[in-house]
Amino acid sequence: AALKREIALSPGYRIEWGGQFRHYQEARDRLALVVPLALALILFLLWLAFSAVRPALLIFFNIPFAIVGGIVALWLRQLPFSVSAGVGFIALFGVAVLNGLVLVAFSRRLEAEGMPPAQAIVQAARLRLRPVLTTALVASLGFLPMALSQAPGSEVQRPLATVVVGGLLTATLLTLLLFPAAYALVVRQPLQP
């Protein structure tokens, strides 16, 4: 905008941006297509896993939990949203969905054995606490060196790792604390500890 305002070009001439800025714009445009496609694919795979829309959407509800942590982590570290941060969000969505999948699958197994759904999800959260925490811990510890690195080239890795670590923190906590309540709300039964 400043160039258009300050420079009058002769007829037949134009300014075209290239180099790193152009590559960034192209990658950002591809990411705008890939992220919704990845989310749609995740939802489709969840629907295939349960052959029902309700549990698929309920598990999909974990993605906002992850997004909150990723955005807060970027903000706390004063990192801009970049293409690598967008890729980090895609990786984060997979782990967040996996945590919800573990809880719902175990809860449905308990329900099949005769336990009421609200009690089943609470029991699933208790009994699947270790696998959910282990999954989040392993992924977080794996990305932590990248998130804290100051080495040359780390400016590309740092946003990706920051998003994953921050998102896993909130997604795991909220999955274990809020997800059972949301599950009980969806099945319309009060929670009983």
Side-chain angles (χ1 to χ4, degrees):
L3 286 176
K4 285 182 182 179
R5 208 175 40 244
E6 300 293 327
I7 297 176
L9 295 174
S10 301
Y13 289 90
R14 69 176 190 267
I15 297 176
E16 198 172 297
W17 295 98
Q20 188 175 5
F21 180 74
R22 184 173 183 174
H23 291 301
Y24 168 74
Q25 284 184 319
E26 290 170 356
R28 187 193 62 203
D29 293 343
R30 276 193 303 270
L31 200 59
L33 176 70
V34 169
V35 170
L37 187 63
L39 291 172
L41 186 60
I42 288 170
L43 188 58
F44 176 70
L45 291 173
L46 287 171
W47 174 76
L48 280 179
F50 290 105
S51 300
V53 174
R54 184 180 268 182
L57 287 175
L58 192 58
I59 294 169
F60 202 72
F61 183 63
N62 278 342
I63 290 178
F65 294 163
I67 291 173
V68 167
I71 291 172
V72 167
L74 284 175
W75 177 72
L76 286 174
R77 298 209 52 212
Q78 298 179 347
L79 295 171
F81 180 82
S82 62
V83 172
S84 66
V87 172
F89 276 110
I90 293 172
L92 179 61
F93 297 160
V95 178
V97 165
L98 177 64
N99 288 342
L101 183 63
V102 166
L103 290 183
V104 171
F106 194 76
S107 177
R108 288 176 63 114
R109 194 173 96 200
L110 293 174
E111 290 169 34
E113 294 172 2
M115 190 178 282
Q119 288 177 337
I121 192 65
V122 170
Q123 189 71 4
R126 284 185 186 145
L127 296 176
R128 298 289 103 199
L129 176 66
R130 189 179 305 155
V132 168
L133 288 178
T134 302
T135 301
L137 187 63
V138 166
S140 294
L141 290 177
F143 279 101
L144 201 56
M146 284 172 49
L148 300 176
S149 177
Q150 297 295 324
S154 66
E155 61 277 353
V156 174
Q157 300 172 351
R158 205 174 306 127
L160 184 150
T162 298
V163 163
V164 173
V165 171
L168 282 177
L169 181 66
T170 58
T172 303
L173 290 174
L174 295 173
T175 296
L176 292 170
L177 299 174
L178 291 181
F179 188 75
Y183 187 89
L185 185 67
V186 167
V187 296
R188 306 264 191 242
Q189 291 187 0
L191 279 176
Q192 298 174 0

